[in-house]
Amino acid sequence: MGAVFSGQAVGGIFASGTNVVVLALGATALQSAFFCFVLSVVFMFTALIAFAVVTRSEFYQHYLGEKPDGDLETKPEDSKLLQEKDISPSLPVKVNPGRVLLQILPYAISVHLCFLVTLGAFPAVSAQVVSTMSADSLWASKFYVPVACFLLFNVGDYIGRFLAGMIQWPRPGKLGAYITLFLAIARFVFIPLFLLCNVRPRDRSVTSVLFESDVAYTVIMAQIGRAHV
C-alpha cells in the first residue's frame, strides 16, 4: 500500500515537472497539454505491455491459483516443507460490512474529509491565484501556476506520504483514530486561507485579498500538499 501511494505522488511530480520543462522549452499551453497527453499514452501503453508479460510468468500464475502446484519445480530442501500439513487457521467466509465500517468509522470519515478539502481547494481555487509580480514577467505569465500550484502540491504530497511511512503518529487505537479525525477537520482552514490569497483580485465581491504575497500562497500550497496524507 505504501508503494502504491508513493507511486501516485511520484507520478504527480513527473506529470507537473514535465509540464514545466515543456513550457521552458518554449511551447505554448496548448502544445504542452498535447505533449503531456502523448507522453501519458506512451506510459499507459508500456504499462499494458508489461502487465501482459508479467501475467504470463509462473510466479504470477502460481499465486493467482491458475497453475497447479505440481507444475512448479521444487528444490530438494523444499520437499520437507511441502510435505507438511497446512496448519494455517481458516479465515471466516462471511464478513459484515456494516460492522467493519463501524469499527473504522473515524478513519473513514477522516479520509473523506481529507479528500473533500483537497479537491475543494485544489485546483479549482488555487489555480486561479494571480502572482503579485509584474504581469509582463515570464514567471507571472507562464510559470507561476504550473510551479507554485501543481508542482509544489505534488512535491508536498510526496513528502507527506514519505514522512507518514517513517513517523507513524498517531498510533492505531481509539485515541489515535479521534486525533486523526480532529486533524482532518482542522484541514478545513485551508479553504478560507486560499480564498484570502490573491485569487482573481479584480473580480471579488465577498472578501478582499488578505495575503497579497506569492510567498504566503507558496507556503499554504506546500502545507496542504504535505497535509494531504
Side-chain angles (χ1 to χ4, degrees):
M1 291 294 292
V4 172
F5 287 124
S6 298
Q8 290 177 347
V10 172
I13 295 176
F14 184 81
S16 55
T18 302
N19 184 31
V20 174
V21 172
V22 173
L23 290 175
L25 294 177
T28 63
L30 184 60
Q31 292 173 340
S32 176
F34 173 76
F35 288 129
C36 290
F37 177 77
V38 171
L39 189 62
S40 65
V41 172
V42 172
F43 269 87
M44 290 180 63
F45 185 70
T46 305
L48 183 62
I49 295 177
F51 177 77
V53 173
V54 169
T55 52
R56 294 177 179 273
S57 64
E58 293 184 357
F59 179 85
Y60 181 90
Q61 294 177 3
H62 170 69
Y63 285 98
L64 196 63
E66 296 181 352
K67 192 167 186 178
D69 297 338
D71 295 342
L72 293 178
E73 296 182 0
T74 57
K75 298 180 181 180
E77 58 269 19
D78 297 335
S79 59
K80 184 178 180 180
L81 295 175
L82 294 175
Q83 292 174 0
E84 294 180 358
K85 295 182 179 180
D86 186 10
I87 57 175
S88 58
S90 58
L91 298 176
V93 178
K94 295 183 179 179
V95 178
N96 189 346
R99 181 176 298 178
V100 174
L101 180 61
L102 185 62
Q103 292 179 352
I104 65 171
L105 188 60
Y107 292 109
I109 296 176
S110 301
V111 173
H112 174 75
L113 296 179
C114 181
F115 281 96
L116 179 65
V117 173
T118 301
L119 298 178
F122 173 86
V125 178
S126 60
Q128 300 187 52
V129 176
V130 180
S131 176
T132 57
M133 297 180 63
S134 175
D136 298 332
S137 63
L138 192 62
W139 166 255
S141 61
K142 180 177 286 189
F143 293 103
Y144 182 66
V145 173
V147 175
C149 179
F150 293 99
L151 181 60
L152 186 61
F153 173 84
N154 287 291
V155 171
D157 185 24
Y158 176 75
I159 294 175
R161 295 171 191 264
F162 177 76
L163 293 178
M166 295 185 59
I167 307 174
Q168 298 181 2
W169 184 89
R171 293 292 182 180
K174 188 174 182 179
L175 179 60
Y178 285 105
I179 292 177
T180 304
L181 180 59
F182 172 77
L183 294 176
I185 295 175
R187 294 184 76 254
F188 274 92
V189 72
F190 284 110
I191 295 179
L193 286 178
F194 277 114
L195 292 176
L196 293 176
C197 289
N198 200 32
V199 180
R200 301 170 62 179
R202 299 180 181 179
D203 187 19
R204 300 179 68 101
S205 58
V206 179
T207 61
S208 59
V209 177
L210 181 61
F211 304 114
E212 193 175 357
S213 170
D214 292 352
V215 177
Y217 169 74
T218 302
V219 172
I220 296 173
M221 177 56 66
Q223 292 302 316
I224 191 175
R226 185 181 58 82
H228 178 63
V229 186

